[in-house]
Amino acid sequence: MTGAERREQLLVVGRGLFAQKGFDGTSVEEVAARARVSKPVVYEHFGGKEGLYAVIVDREVRALLDALSSALDARAHPRVLLERTTLALLGYVEENTDGFRILVRDSPVAQTTGTFASLLGDVATQVEEMLADEFRRLGLSVDAAPMYAQMLVGMVALTGQWWLGSREPDKAVVAAHIVNLAWNGLSGMEPSPRLTPHAG
């Protein structure tokens, strides 16, 4: 293997182990054994378990943020934005289960960025700007937009964590119910919610 191929192999092995056992439950010895290399090879590429973990978390954060950002098209109707963002997060959970498992755990690496909480904060900031525009249009207090952005992002993220374990019902059904609550509120919920044709 080339150095780049070996590095990629170690990232794949590490990702699987961190998802399965968490940071504390994973050792450099186990990463090396699964990759069929010696421990010094892991240290050479990443400086240790913390370095390997940090690269994996950074990759996952970028992948999820890219998926969510591409859904946040400010020209779309607010309901469609909500639907697309919800589907993007659930799609990431579905397609990158190991990555999502790693992200939702508390990061053991002392850092202020790269954690799931900081990622959700970045997304909430983008949502906040869109909500502020919509609040202005509706004559509502723009000062409340940050709070509502946190509510929306938190609702979707926590539901994603729950859905990670069950995968039932189908992703589109879960998304439709999230949007039903967020868009209609408890007093106006639809009995059989469905996504709009523009959502996906």
Side-chain angles (χ1 to χ4, degrees):
M1 278 189 189
T2 67
E5 289 170 337
R6 178 65 72 196
R7 179 180 169 84
E8 193 58 37
Q9 179 207 22
L10 291 170
L11 287 167
V12 170
V13 168
R15 184 178 187 260
L17 285 169
F18 288 131
Q20 179 186 359
K21 299 183 167 196
F23 180 83
D24 291 333
T26 301
S27 67
V28 170
E29 290 84 359
E30 193 169 10
V31 172
R34 287 257 180 110
R36 296 194 168 120
V37 299
S38 63
K39 279 174 29 181
V41 172
V42 179
Y43 287 107
E44 177 188 327
H45 283 279
F46 300 101
K49 181 171 79 166
E50 291 81 4
L52 175 62
Y53 185 87
V55 172
I56 290 168
V57 167
D58 183 61
R59 278 186 169 193
E60 295 303 325
V61 165
R62 279 188 280 122
L64 180 52
L65 193 54
D66 287 348
L68 294 174
S69 295
S70 66
L72 291 170
D73 177 0
R75 296 164 297 178
H77 185 275
R79 178 174 175 138
V80 174
L81 281 174
L82 179 59
E83 291 175 343
R84 287 179 181 167
T85 305
T86 302
L87 282 172
L89 177 63
L90 295 178
Y92 174 84
V93 172
E94 186 175 57
E95 295 161 20
N96 299 282
T97 302
D98 282 352
F100 190 72
R101 280 200 174 102
I102 291 167
L103 288 179
V104 297
R105 288 192 170 110
D106 288 336
S107 173
V109 180
Q111 56 189 17
T112 56
T113 61
T115 65
F116 191 57
S118 68
L119 171 68
L120 293 180
D122 292 344
V123 174
T125 299
Q126 293 183 51
V127 171
E128 177 186 325
E129 293 168 11
M130 293 174 198
L131 284 179
D133 291 341
E134 190 64 14
F135 280 22
R136 269 187 217 94
R137 192 181 70 73
L138 296 171
L140 301 172
S141 171
V142 175
D143 293 342
M147 178 174 58
Y148 279 93
Q150 293 291 333
M151 289 179 204
L152 286 171
V153 171
M155 181 169 62
V156 175
L158 285 174
T159 305
Q161 282 183 266
W162 165 80
W163 188 67
L164 174 67
S166 66
R167 299 297 176 93
E168 293 285 336
D170 179 75
K171 172 177 68 178
V173 173
V174 174
H177 282 281
I178 291 171
V179 173
N180 189 25
L181 177 59
W183 189 256
N184 297 315
L186 285 173
S187 64
M189 286 179 60
E190 301 165 355
S192 299
R194 283 198 284 231
L195 300 175
T196 64
H198 308 292

